[in-house]
Amino acid sequence: MPPADNTAALAEATRQRSHRARTNAERAISAAQRTGSHTSFAAIAKEAGVSRSWLYTQRDLVTAIRQLQNRQPSSQRTGSQPASIASIQRRLDIALARIKQLRTENSDLPAWKWRTGRSAGCAGSPTPVGSSRRSKRTTSLGAFLAPQPKNDRQETGAPATVIGMKRAAMTTTPESVPAR
């Protein structure tokens, strides 16, 4: 028995499938135009139920999709975008507020160290690895005994009475300290 000749039926099925795919793709493009939805080749292919590679073989559909893409900006972000001016301004405001907070904390640090008895070499006062415990600005005994400004706060932020107590503690001699 000779093999059955199905070529006519297969050709008709292929033609119908191709026509259905084209019709579905045209509908998807029309829907994207009406709704203003995202118009990428992948989105149109998914909506139409066809492959992207087939879609790229249809020159007129490719042209229609590209025209649609050029006409409307994409509503979805597709990668890194430059920051807006409002975003940059917000980040700057946050950074400036943080700087102000840190300056306030730094100005209160000498008084805190005096109250807690901590100094650069004390336990509980972390020193970064590889950094020196010495400060670049050294002070001598003369700096503590020098005339103080008339305001209540010193350059370091410590109250004048604390500086006076330091001065008194440094000027005591062993004879003036009572024996224990």
Side-chain angles (χ1 to χ4, degrees):
M1 183 166 170
D5 188 15
N6 295 350
T7 55
L10 289 175
E12 180 61 25
T14 301
R15 189 185 64 72
Q16 286 178 358
R17 188 179 69 236
S18 180
H19 179 68
R20 237 186 351 262
R22 183 163 189 79
T23 303
N24 289 345
E26 289 170 351
R27 282 185 189 148
I29 292 170
S30 296
Q33 277 180 321
R34 281 191 314 273
T35 62
S37 64
H38 183 62
T39 55
S40 67
F41 281 89
I44 298 293
K46 184 177 180 180
E47 179 72 26
V50 297
S51 67
R52 282 182 299 154
S53 60
W54 178 85
L55 197 57
Y56 280 112
T57 64
Q58 310 301 310
R59 293 191 188 273
D60 59 330
L61 297 179
V62 168
T63 304
I65 293 170
R66 291 224 167 106
Q67 286 175 351
L68 188 59
Q69 287 175 334
N70 290 337
R71 211 171 351 156
Q72 71 176 33
S74 175
S75 61
Q76 297 177 355
R77 289 190 150 202
T78 57
S80 62
Q81 301 285 324
S84 68
I85 293 175
S87 172
I88 293 171
Q89 183 65 44
R90 176 76 178 131
R91 290 171 60 189
L92 178 62
D93 291 343
I94 291 170
L96 291 173
R98 179 70 175 145
I99 290 169
K100 186 176 181 180
Q101 175 192 7
L102 291 173
R103 282 187 176 152
T104 302
E105 288 176 11
N106 283 344
S107 69
D108 293 340
L109 191 58
W112 173 82
K113 287 167 77 173
W114 174 255
R115 284 192 309 269
T116 59
R118 294 183 184 209
S119 66
C122 291
S125 179
T127 302
V129 175
S131 69
S132 171
R133 289 183 184 259
R134 275 190 170 165
S135 102
K136 290 181 181 177
R137 198 172 118 194
T138 59
T139 55
S140 65
L141 182 59
F144 287 109
L145 299 176
Q148 300 297 317
K150 294 183 183 193
N151 62 359
D152 190 36
R153 296 291 250 174
Q154 301 301 314
E155 178 182 300
T156 62
T161 55
V162 173
I163 299 296
M165 291 167 52
K166 277 186 177 179
R167 189 178 304 128
M170 284 195 261
T171 58
T172 56
T173 60
E175 296 84 30
S176 64
V177 176
R180 293 186 190 191

